[in-house]
Amino acid sequence: MKILVVEDESKLAAYLRKGLSEEGFVVDVANNGIDGLHLATEGDYDLLLLDRMLPGIDGLTLLAALRKVKPIPVLMLSARQHTDDRVEGLRAGADDYLVKPFAFSELVARLQALLRRTRPTQAVTDTTLRLSDLELDLLKRRAVRAGHRLDLTTKELQLLELLMRRQGEVLSRTEIAEKVWDMNFDGGTNVIDVAVRRLRHKLDAPFERPMLHTVRGFGYVLEDRG
């Protein structure tokens, strides 16, 4: 699941990025309304976490512009806690509204509920990725192959999610670095190869038929060649 956080408070933005990444989400952050609107309209996100008070374009204006082009679920964050403020945010198009300060566990629970609620007709297929005997439950952050649970780290889950969403496609190290590590790939580092090797050890080594393949000179592909 990929989330866009639009938040101008740098400490809170960093806290949300770290915490949500640990929960298994892929997180992008924009620190003002202009960048946030651009990313939200041009990017492919499952949910938007939107601060109400932003420089450039405020959250309500951003939301009004976004609603003209995309039905992406939005959870609005704000220090404004009066009933009228919450009502205004919801009427502007937010799907949920959470007042600052908030408990992180409540935020995650609301995000998960929002994802379930806004995708009722596609809940099964959208939250569970499958390839042959491999399943990845995106909400429970649990991978299972042939009935055996795979003990994966947060990054390994994110890497597997990317590979399963793009199964059959060869993904370059550059694209993997951008999508999973949110960084530009440095050809002098082997971080991607090491991560893929560790994932492959857990994903394929115990089983007869490998799924994660190296395409020499290009990158990696997840597919069932059986």
Side-chain angles (χ1 to χ4, degrees):
M1 292 286 180
K2 191 172 183 180
I3 292 180
L4 174 61
V5 175
V6 186
E7 171 60 64
D8 65 319
E9 296 179 39
S10 57
K11 287 185 178 179
L12 178 57
Y15 170 75
L16 291 171
R17 182 197 290 274
K18 182 175 184 298
L20 293 174
S21 296
E22 289 173 351
E23 291 291 329
F25 295 102
V26 176
V27 182
D28 285 342
V29 173
N31 297 117
N32 61 69
I34 296 173
D35 291 344
L37 180 58
H38 174 72
L39 287 173
T41 53
E42 298 297 324
D44 183 17
Y45 296 97
D46 296 292
L47 191 144
L48 174 62
L49 193 55
L50 176 65
D51 185 31
R52 177 167 175 158
M53 304 299 291
L54 291 167
I57 301 175
D58 68 83
L60 293 180
T61 303
L62 187 159
L63 187 53
L66 181 64
R67 280 290 176 250
K68 295 178 181 178
V69 294
K70 269 193 175 180
I72 178 175
V74 175
L75 194 161
M76 180 166 282
L77 300 174
S78 177
R80 302 176 66 163
Q81 56 183 311
H82 296 300
T83 299
D84 289 347
D85 297 322
R86 296 197 298 272
V87 170
E88 186 178 25
L90 293 170
R91 284 180 172 170
D95 298 281
D96 198 0
Y97 192 105
L98 186 59
V99 176
K100 300 177 183 176
F102 51 83
F104 185 74
S105 58
E106 182 182 359
L107 171 67
V108 173
R110 284 175 179 264
L111 293 179
Q112 293 174 337
L114 192 52
L115 288 168
R116 288 195 300 270
R117 191 167 67 243
T118 55
R119 295 183 168 190
T121 61
Q122 296 178 306
V124 174
T125 54
D126 276 359
T127 61
T128 303
L129 303 177
R130 294 184 176 87
L131 174 61
S132 298
D133 60 354
L134 175 64
E135 289 188 2
L136 175 60
D137 188 318
L138 299 174
L139 291 181
K140 296 179 179 178
R141 310 307 300 167
R142 182 174 62 188
V144 175
R145 182 169 181 187
H148 299 280
R149 183 167 182 170
L150 307 180
D151 183 18
L152 303 182
T153 66
T154 298
K155 279 300 178 191
E156 289 166 349
L157 282 167
Q158 292 175 353
L159 176 56
L160 180 60
E161 179 181 347
L162 173 64
L163 291 164
M164 291 192 75
R165 285 187 184 279
R166 305 277 297 276
Q167 55 188 266
E169 294 183 43
V170 179
L171 300 181
S172 68
R173 292 171 177 80
T174 299
E175 184 168 10
I176 292 173
E178 290 176 352
K179 299 288 187 182
V180 179
W181 277 265
D182 193 24
M183 67 179 192
N184 294 321
F185 178 64
D186 177 0
T189 178
N190 64 346
V191 62
I192 307 301
D193 296 317
V194 170
V196 169
R197 185 163 62 245
R198 288 176 175 167
L199 176 61
R200 176 181 283 145
H201 177 73
K202 298 177 181 179
L203 178 67
D204 284 339
F207 304 97
E208 181 178 348
R209 192 172 67 253
M211 288 188 174
L212 182 49
H213 307 277
T214 301
V215 180
R216 192 176 299 278
F218 291 95
Y220 300 97
V221 59
L222 185 75
E223 61 183 357
D224 184 359
R225 295 178 176 177

